[in-house]
Amino acid sequence: MEIIIQPTPESATDIAARIIARLLREKPDAVLGLATGSTPLLLYKKLIAMNLDWSRVTTFNLDEYIGLPREHPQSYHSFMWENLFQHVNLTKENIHIPDGNANDIPRFCSEYEAQIKAAGGIDLQVLGIGTDGHIGFNEPTSSLASRTRIKTLTRQTCKDNARFFGSEEAVPKHVITMGIGTIMEARQNLLLAFGTNKAQAVAEAVEGPITSINPASILQMHPVVKVCLDDPAANDLQRADYYRWVYANKPAWQTL
Ligand code: F6R
């Protein structure tokens, strides 16, 4: 794991945007895994401003609420179109977001897995982290080998996401999410976290034991993970000085 600590979300996001831009330049038909929520908003803004060529890129989103109409302003379909897709030259057929209104959700989930495989697998997966350590919507005690499936959100996540829906009660309780096993098959994972409310989950994920109680901790077993943090999100890390030292002494040939 490479832990990159920056003073602000802005500078941490700059690094994440450069990593993705480099991938799209080196591999114009890259397969990107995408996340929603507050964390990647700035990342998408920066990527849009970079005027990259997305025409051959394929995307797979991590998750979607079950039962929320696609056109609902808080659906992840709406989020992605508003904040990224409508601003770049992605080909519509190459965009994949779980369908929270599928008639047969288990079948949809296995087809989603098959589509990821058919696309050649995910080159880079963007991740946020929940205050309870979730990645995608793999809540604590999710199987570390899980695949795309239905999950029930924790009360904590409903509380956290109430800010988007106006009340905790309005947050859908059920979601489709890529599994932890699915995320672990991405060739590279890029996790972003900002703010003190993420500090504990980040510290447990990076320095704690690998446990389904903090699903993000499984990333310790992944060979290529970059974690871009602002100072407050890095607040509880025991070895923050070491991570800063490593990054400051990164050899020039190891550019990003
Ligand atoms: C969203 C997702 C979630 C969020 C996490 C953090 O697609 O998969 O894991 O990344 O809930 O959300 P924010 O960024 O809103 O704090």
Side-chain angles (χ1 to χ4, degrees):
M1 258 194 202
E2 182 178 7
I3 316 300
I4 303 170
I5 305 171
Q6 292 290 303
T8 62
E10 169 88 32
S11 47
T13 300
D14 265 335
I15 292 170
R18 289 208 318 263
I19 292 167
I20 295 174
R22 190 177 65 166
L23 172 69
L24 298 199
R25 287 190 189 110
E26 283 174 0
K27 189 175 180 191
D29 60 349
V31 179
L32 284 184
L34 299 174
T36 56
S38 309
T39 308
L41 275 172
L42 191 54
L43 175 67
Y44 297 150
K45 275 206 180 91
K46 285 181 186 289
L47 289 172
I48 292 163
M50 284 172 157
N51 277 320
L52 300 160
D53 180 11
W54 294 73
S55 59
R56 293 169 59 205
V57 173
T58 298
T59 65
F60 286 92
N61 264 79
L62 281 168
D63 38 27
E64 177 59 287
Y65 293 109
I66 290 179
L68 207 60
R70 209 174 259 226
E71 54 286 354
H72 188 286
Q74 295 308 329
S75 80
Y76 288 164
H77 277 80
S78 299
F79 177 99
M80 289 310 302
W81 280 96
E82 187 180 330
N83 295 299
L84 181 65
F85 296 159
Q86 66 167 319
H87 306 288
V88 296
N89 65 334
L90 265 163
T91 309
K92 217 175 165 193
E93 297 70 52
N94 292 350
I95 293 171
H96 305 84
I97 306 178
D99 180 1
N101 292 293
N103 285 332
D104 182 343
I105 290 183
R107 184 168 160 191
F108 174 84
C109 291
S110 49
E111 284 171 3
Y112 202 67
E113 290 277 338
Q115 285 179 316
I116 295 173
K117 274 207 178 70
I122 292 172
D123 290 302
L124 184 149
Q125 175 68 56
V126 176
L127 296 170
I129 184 170
T131 56
D132 60 6
H134 70 223
I135 45 175
F137 273 137
N138 295 283
E139 296 286 28
T141 71
S142 284
S143 160
L144 297 178
S146 51
R147 313 301 309 190
T148 303
R149 70 205 182 296
I150 298 173
K151 282 298 286 181
T152 304
L153 298 178
T154 58
R155 287 290 298 274
Q156 183 60 49
T157 300
C158 292
K159 277 193 186 119
D160 289 346
N161 288 1
R163 68 189 193 280
F164 300 116
F165 287 86
S167 73
E168 191 187 321
E169 293 65 43
V171 180
K173 308 286 171 287
H174 300 101
V175 293
I176 296 177
T177 180
M178 271 189 211
I180 297 178
T182 322
I183 292 168
M184 288 294 283
E185 280 173 11
R187 290 181 194 95
Q188 182 174 171
N189 274 291
L190 178 60
L191 187 146
L192 288 86
F194 310 130
T196 36
N197 64 330
K198 299 291 174 73
Q200 192 187 342
V202 166
E204 286 170 4
V206 172
E207 296 176 336
I210 296 171
T211 165
S212 64
I213 294 295
N214 181 311
S217 64
I218 192 64
L219 294 171
Q220 294 174 33
M221 296 290 290
H222 192 286
V224 192
V225 179
K226 287 185 169 63
V227 179
C228 296
L229 306 172
D230 66 352
D231 278 333
N235 210 29
D236 292 1
L237 290 168
Q238 302 288 317
R239 307 248 163 187
D241 287 349
Y242 174 61
Y243 311 137
R244 289 196 172 93
W245 163 263
V246 170
Y247 194 68
N249 289 287
K250 203 165 168 168
W253 42 263
Q254 215 186 4
T255 43
L256 281 171

